[in-house]
Amino acid sequence: MQDIRIDLSMAVPFAGKEALAEMGKKAELAFQDLTDPEKEAGFKGWLNPMERGEAYRAMMEKAAAIRSKADAFVLVGVGGSNQAARAVIKALQKDGPEIIYAGNTLSAPALQKVLRRLDAKKEIYINVIAKNFETLEPGSHFRVLRDYLIRRYKREDTAGRIVLTGTFGSRLEEIAKENGYTFLEFPVPVGGRYSVLTPVGLFPMAVAGIDIPALLDGALRMKERLAAPGNPAVEYAALRQCLYQEKGFDIEVLAAFEPQLDYFAKWWVQLFGESEGKQKQGVFPTSVSYSEDLHSLGQYMQEGRRSLTETFLSIEEPDGSVPVPKDPAFGDRFDYLDGMDFLEINRAAESATIRAHYEGGVPCFRIFLPTLDAYSFGQLFYFFMVACAISGKTAGINPFDQEGVEAYKRSMFDMLGK
Amino acid sequence: MQDIRIDLSMAVPFAGKEALAEMGKKAELAFQDLTDPEKEAGFKGWLNPMERGEAYRAMMEKAAAIRSKADAFVLVGVGGSNQAARAVIKALQKDGPEIIYAGNTLSAPALQKVLRRLDAKKEIYINVIAKNFETLEPGSHFRVLRDYLIRRYKREDTAGRIVLTGTFGSRLEEIAKENGYTFLEFPVPVGGRYSVLTPVGLFPMAVAGIDIPALLDGALRMKERLAAPGNPAVEYAALRQCLYQEKGFDIEVLAAFEPQLDYFAKWWVQLFGESEGKQKQGVFPTSVSYSEDLHSLGQYMQEGRRSLTETFLSIEEPDGSVPVPKDPAFGDRFDYLDGMDFLEINRAAESATIRAHYEGGVPCFRIFLPTLDAYSFGQLFYFFMVACAISGKTAGINPFDQEGVEAYKRSMFDMLGK
């Protein structure tokens, strides 16, 4: 079980030395503030990953039961309620039920597609995740899916197929009790985008066969690291704020040379976008999937507006191997690849890209994952959540609210006659 | 067959009146320059979509033959060589062979996944698309796939399964002749990101059963519209350059409330990013998929840095319909949706979002597609290609080159010993 490694050496040269030292002090204070149990206790439950007690054991048992029986498991949730689990499942799932995502769109064609996929499955289970059970997508899809399950299995056989994840005391908990559904806790002092280490993220991952103890161990290992001197989350947060506030680097691009990380990037974009995009400020978070996007945004990254920073996630020992077969008589002019493995070729593309972007004026943050596994993901999640909270606080905003998402809802609820 | 509609009324108020008039003149000149056959003829072949002559008929026949026999059709290409076809196929394909994408990654696990999917198929055909047959991803994957096909079918049975799309006189054409593969033309005066209306985009779409005549008709209809007074591509280009140069709106977000358009957004990002991201300038292009991303970037769009413009693609008559079933005794507090269709709910979310973002300080461009079909796509492609070329020229850059993508290649080829 190895630590992930955070390397800021290709970003530091872009910051002013004194400005960075100054920002480092602010970020250190923000971290002390964050870890002070007296302050903002109502928003910081996520600093402590789920404990492995009674509720954990019950959750894992239910997950194992579903895993052994289900052909399809529908994760009904949106934003903070599905991004983390989806990120890990898309990257690591090897077998078990097909995980289908619903409650994350209002498109009729997209919902029809989900229902058609379910038609082809025999044993279906669903998990509805909603902290505030007023969100339209999961609420409306729960209606449709409940109706669907009752038509497929009869009412009395549906209760065992439904798991609800919500806050204690919520309407969702009452619904679970009234109908005999399993209920899991979405802790009140944990915002959606910080909920990966609670049943919100862990339960669907467990159904998909992810190694939950390893993921939690990874998070706890990072927690321990961040408590020691030389905290890399403080350094990363200070540097990105320094580059933003002092030098105008106002877009951060999460980049990886492994498409298995595409959905992790979506989690990351929400984490930073929703935490920092307020008061008309904030670094704009976005992502690229290399090498494909070198043929799309590569030109912009190299020579466009010099306001970009890039955060590379590199996997030191990726899974899999495909050697390039030789074909000497064919004459395709790719003989220089003879006998090489795609693992090497991809690594060469990655090194060359980082060097070219750095030399082209892009500060590059690098995070190395020893391997792509649950333990690395646990570290990564915890690292970025703490770094994001510190970064937001250093910028003088509240990284735990999201008032702006209410604006469109008012006129939408109006139109829908709520 | 209805026209798409371009509505700039929610963006115009953010621009200064005089500055916009001034920019409009520049954009008009750029358009005249663009359509002057004497100028830059070597880069503007795309202004004329493929003609329906002999080469077209041969291409359509080959596509029909493959379509009738194939279980899987592998599109081997990256960037301009796969984005447009993938955009349309992902949105519109109803039946026929499964289209599998390769030649667009260097990841070993991703390539292994492709090979595993092929193992489950019986009749496999491939199309390698490469203007410059030096690009690593399609070149190396062609090696692997050729080897795979020969192992599955024997060498003599592979020739009929391989179609190559390249420029006349290229090594790829020689390879086709030497091996008896079908060869299609990638016209020299058409850059990859402008190649949708050539065999590059049209052939894979035809294999997937897309209505190619309707797509070409849509493009030609837009060509005709843009030649008339009140050219919407000139207006759109002038407005986005005005907002960028005069008001600092330096990020443009392509947004749609229909996930079927997710891959179109990728095509669009490449078109603008590669055309305009040079000389340390250019609007940064990115995209969101609503309603899902309202729960991710929605907060930033509403209250983050006010440097964003948003371009909404709206489908006036979407396919599909899912009514919300009633469940009065259940008490889920979503009764206000009783009997509504998701088509309505999604439309309400869209209207509310655009209004909220506009009121929050985001200039909103709107493009209305009567329905999501090949004719609309044809119009959309042609509109954006012309708008992008005008926008780039108005900004004083060359929208047809991409020198910056060479930077990482030099050190990569070095490492790989080329």
Side-chain angles (χ1 to χ4, degrees), chain A residues 86 107 137 143 146 171 258 270 277 280 282 291 299-300 303 305 325 327 330-332 335 338 402 404, chain B residues 107 137 143 146 171 250 258 277 280 282 291-292 295 299-300 303 325 327 330-332 335 338 402 404:
Chain A
R86 187 172 57 175
S107 152
E137 291 87 346
R143 270 282 180 98
R146 209 162 65 229
R171 176 67 195 135
E258 177 42 63
Q270 181 191 353
K280 305 189 179 180
S291 66
Q299 168 67 37
Y300 197 107
E303 296 189 340
R305 208 154 45 78
D327 197 355
F330 194 79
D332 63 6
D335 293 341
D338 279 358
Q402 58 280 333
Chain B
S107 153
E137 292 87 345
R143 269 282 180 97
R146 209 163 65 229
R171 176 67 196 135
D250 51 27
E258 177 43 63
K280 305 189 181 182
S291 66
E292 173 151 21
H295 305 272
Q299 167 68 37
Y300 197 107
E303 296 188 341
D327 198 354
F330 194 78
D332 63 6
D335 293 341
D338 279 359
Q402 58 279 334

Side-chain angles (χ1 to χ4, degrees), chain A residues 45-61:
Chain A
W46 57 272
L47 283 167
N48 295 308
M50 188 178 194
E51 286 184 20
R52 278 165 259 193
E54 195 45 54
Y56 174 82
R57 276 188 294 274
M59 174 188 84
M60 294 298 278
E61 267 170 37

Side-chain angles (χ1 to χ4, degrees), chain B residues 94-409:
Chain B
K94 298 262 183 274
D95 51 28
E98 182 177 344
I99 313 296
I100 294 175
Y101 301 88
N104 59 343
T105 181
L106 295 171
S107 153
L111 179 52
Q112 282 183 318
K113 222 184 201 169
V114 166
L115 296 173
R116 275 198 301 270
R117 279 170 75 190
L118 292 180
D119 284 344
K121 301 288 180 180
K122 229 176 123 187
E123 295 297 334
I124 301 167
Y125 289 75
I126 78 170
N127 179 204
V128 179
I129 304 176
K131 186 174 187 185
N132 163 356
F133 190 48
E134 291 187 352
T135 303
L136 204 50
E137 292 87 345
S140 59
H141 281 207
F142 185 26
R143 269 282 180 97
V144 171
L145 289 166
R146 209 163 65 229
D147 180 65
Y148 179 88
L149 290 178
I150 290 167
R151 281 187 288 114
R152 288 256 329 238
Y153 303 109
K154 305 213 165 101
R155 192 172 290 271
E156 55 279 13
D157 187 26
T158 56
R161 299 179 181 276
I162 297 179
V163 178
L164 305 184
T165 306
T167 54
F168 283 138
S170 67
R171 176 67 196 135
L172 210 58
E173 190 190 14
E174 291 169 14
I175 286 176
K177 281 187 186 149
E178 289 162 14
N179 296 275
Y181 304 156
T182 300
F183 184 74
L184 299 173
E185 187 193 7
F186 194 142
V188 173
V190 177
R193 60 187 178 275
Y194 294 91
S195 67
V196 50
L197 303 170
T198 75
V200 173
L202 299 177
F203 179 69
M205 290 188 219
V207 171
I210 305 304
D211 184 346
I212 303 298
L215 189 111
L216 287 170
D217 286 347
L220 290 170
R221 167 62 191 143
M222 182 56 74
K223 187 180 181 195
E224 184 183 282
R225 267 180 84 182
L226 300 185
N231 178 338
V234 164
E235 290 171 4
Y236 169 78
L239 188 48
R240 75 192 290 277
Q241 281 300 332
C242 188
L243 292 171
Y244 170 48
Q245 293 179 34
E246 308 284 331
K247 304 280 177 169
F249 287 98
D250 51 27
I251 298 176
E252 181 173 3
V253 182
L254 191 75
F257 274 77
E258 177 43 63
Q260 285 173 281
L261 287 165
D262 287 357
Y263 281 90
F264 179 80
K266 288 181 190 282
W267 173 84
W268 181 92
V269 163
Q270 181 191 354
L271 177 69
F272 281 92
E274 219 165 61
S275 297
E276 297 196 324
K278 40 197 80 157
Q279 294 178 19
K280 305 189 181 182
Q281 53 169 299
V283 176
F284 183 81
T286 187
S287 68
V288 290
S289 180
Y290 292 148
S291 66
E292 173 151 21
D293 285 341
L294 288 174
H295 305 272
S296 163
L297 275 170
Q299 167 68 37
Y300 197 107
M301 297 305 301
Q302 192 67 50
E303 296 188 341
R305 208 154 44 79
R306 299 296 76 188
S307 56
L308 308 158
T309 65
E310 211 167 4
T311 297
F312 283 92
L313 301 178
S314 300
I315 304 167
E316 299 194 273
E317 297 293 338
D319 248 8
S321 151
V322 182
V324 178
K326 295 188 187 183
D327 198 354
F330 194 78
D332 63 6
R333 297 179 187 163
F334 285 92
D335 293 341
Y336 65 95
L337 299 176
D338 279 359
M340 277 190 200
D341 197 287
F342 275 91
L343 292 179
E344 278 170 80
I345 301 173
N346 201 22
R347 195 182 304 269
E350 182 173 13
S351 303
T353 301
I354 295 172
R355 193 196 300 179
H357 290 184
Y358 173 74
E359 288 170 0
V362 178
C364 296
F365 303 90
R366 301 196 66 180
I367 298 180
F368 294 90
L369 284 59
T371 53
L372 189 63
D373 57 16
Y375 188 71
S376 289
F377 268 118
Q379 295 179 72
L380 213 48
F381 282 123
Y382 201 89
F383 171 78
F384 275 124
M385 290 192 294
V386 172
C388 178
I390 298 172
S391 179
K393 283 171 169 291
T394 305
I397 54 92
N398 177 355
F400 305 125
D401 68 0
Q402 58 279 334
E403 296 294 322
V405 302
E406 299 306 316
Y408 80 93
K409 287 185 188 173

